């Protein structure tokens, strides 16, 4: 007789999302990807008009925002960070925050450098 068959799951075990939740997240990821492709086509595609030219300065930040949303969904649900301990999420997120700060600081530094170089000063 199996002694473990009637033993309830330990309290520390985390429940995973159901297949329906994964399906919903997959649909949301598909929609976000379609928005990214649509944003590119609307901005730089064959049929981009004057509105596309007005969006061009915001093209990269919008793509970065959509990509960040997709990354957060994948990390939370498919990498199970939402169900894991907050310690694991902190270990995962803290270096990302530091990396983002470094990337934005380098972008600001390069923008300042090119603006300063163009002014001839």
């Amino acid at each position: 007789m199996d002694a473990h068959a009637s033993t309830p799951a330990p309290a520390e075990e985390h429940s995973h999302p159901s297949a329906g939740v994964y399906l919903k997240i997959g649909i949301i990821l598909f929609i976000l990807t379609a928005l990214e492709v649509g944003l590119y086509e609307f901005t730089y595609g064959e049929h981009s008009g004057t509105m596309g030219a007005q969006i061009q300065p915001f093209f990269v930040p919008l793509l970065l925002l959509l990509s960040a949303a997709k990354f957060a969904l994948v990390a939370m649900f498919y990498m199970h960070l939402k169900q894991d301990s907050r310690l694991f999420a902190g270990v995962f997120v803290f270096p990302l925050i530091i990396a983002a700060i470094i990337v934005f600081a380098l972008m600001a530094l390069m923008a300042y450098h090119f603006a300063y170089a163009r002014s001839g000063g």
Side-chain angles (χ1 to χ4, degrees), residues 15-29 73-74 76-80 83:
S15 63
H16 291 279
S18 65
V21 171
Y22 285 122
L23 181 65
K24 289 176 187 173
I25 298 301
I27 290 171
I28 292 171
L29 290 173
L73 284 174
V74 169
M76 285 190 320
F77 290 98
Y78 293 108
M79 294 172 66
H80 306 286
Q83 293 84 27

Side-chain angles (χ1 to χ4, degrees), residues 99-113:
I101 290 171
I102 290 171
V103 166
F104 285 118
L106 286 174
M107 289 172 63
L109 182 66
M110 295 306 269
Y112 175 77
H113 171 73

Side-chain angles (χ1 to χ4, degrees), residues 38-113:
L39 179 65
Y40 175 79
E41 288 296 326
F42 189 70
T43 307
Y44 294 106
E46 281 184 22
H47 305 291
S48 64
T50 56
M51 189 70 171
Q54 292 175 349
I55 293 178
Q56 283 183 0
F58 306 105
F59 178 71
V60 171
L62 286 173
L63 277 184
L64 287 175
L65 187 68
L66 289 171
S67 297
K70 288 172 43 179
F71 174 77
L73 284 174
V74 169
M76 285 190 320
F77 290 98
Y78 293 108
M79 294 172 66
H80 306 286
L81 286 179
K82 188 169 175 64
Q83 293 84 27
D84 278 344
S85 168
R86 289 190 169 265
L87 175 68
F88 295 136
V91 167
F92 183 75
V93 171
F94 183 69
L96 282 177
I97 291 172
I98 291 175
I101 290 171
I102 290 171
V103 166
F104 285 118
L106 286 174
M107 289 172 63
L109 182 66
M110 295 306 269
Y112 175 77
H113 171 73

